Amino acid sequence: MPDTASPRRERRSTRAALRAAAVDALVEPVLARAQRETGGHEGRALVVDLGGGAGTYSVRLAEHGHDVVVVDPSPDALAALDRRAREAGVAERVRGHQGDARQLAGLLERPVDVLLCHDVLELVDDPAATLADVAGVLGPGGSLSLLTAQRSGAVALRAAAGRVEEALAVLTDPDGRAGPDDPLLRRLDAAATADLLRHAGLAVVDVVGVPVLADLVPEAVVDPDPRLREALQRLEAAALGHADLRGVASHLHWHAVRAGG
Ligand SMILES: C[S@@+](CC[C@H](N)C(=O)[O-])C[C@H]1O[C@@H](n2cnc3c(N)ncnc32)[C@H](O)[C@@H]1O
């Protein structure tokens, strides 16, 4: 679920497109490393998409020949996943399971090469237990691709949009929530996420903002001008390499592996 500053549909979709492209670019090296380290199974990686929803990423990964297991508590999301996988002709490589991280261990016949956990840690009851369950099923050399909503990025986004009271609430609430109606149970600070990963026995390979700056740029300015849109993509690509800009990113992507593995 994008943490955006505006409910306007066209704004969400432009940002979603930028974000999806960025996530694709980040998941690719995660998969490549896992395949290099584990060799996969007959050349195919086992990918688990925890909270994978309707299969935005998992169906694409199945199209690339990987075996994908989606674990999600929502029957509607799993029905949409099933439909999408059939339409893409990859139903035999995509398995949906209704549940959460607790069920992972009993569900899988072989160690996981890549586990995606995108926009899910904000929704689970116990993020520490979830990451421990994730670490437990990752095989040696396996990788975690974790996408989290970042508190400081949510504050910057709301402040830049003039939603000052909300920005203050997210900044000062112990869980980084905008209020009781906030659909997210928490927005983590980067340090808190790093601690959770370490305690779960996961070592961070890389962390980057997704997107770093694009969510802060008013789309009313960028949308009508293809050259500006292209410039924004270049700005985003350049900003990825600047760790000091990471604090304003609405989301962070963490690539982690089993510590010592
Ligand atoms: C914001 S969506 C993200 C979907 C997908 N990961 C993506 O990036 O497009 C959050 C998903 O997490 C699922 N979810 C909610 N609580 C969960 C839990 N405790 N364990 C696993 N998934 C959960 C929801 O059903 C939903 O499909």
Side-chain angles (χ1 to χ4, degrees), residues 56-101:
T56 311
Y57 297 107
S58 41
V59 169
R60 273 210 297 279
L61 293 173
E63 285 174 321
H64 285 104
H66 304 298
D67 297 320
V68 185
V69 177
V70 177
V71 179
D72 197 293
S74 161
D76 290 347
L78 292 172
L81 165 75
D82 189 46
R83 200 168 48 245
R84 239 187 208 177
R86 276 188 280 109
E87 281 167 9
V90 293
E92 77 287 356
R93 285 199 292 278
V94 178
R95 181 153 58 103
H97 180 87
Q98 192 178 353
D100 60 22

Side-chain angles (χ1 to χ4, degrees), residues 115-171:
L115 195 142
L116 308 181
C117 181
H118 289 182
D119 284 337
V120 176
L121 226 47
E122 295 74 21
L123 300 171
V124 302
D125 291 336
D126 185 343
T130 296
L131 287 178
D133 291 332
V134 162
V137 296
L138 274 183
S143 279
L144 167 66
S145 163
L146 175 70
L147 194 66
T148 56
Q150 176 171 229
R151 181 212 296 258
S152 55
V155 172
L157 198 61
R158 282 161 178 74
R163 291 158 61 185
V164 178
E165 300 281 359
E166 231 182 272
L168 186 62
V170 173
L171 182 62

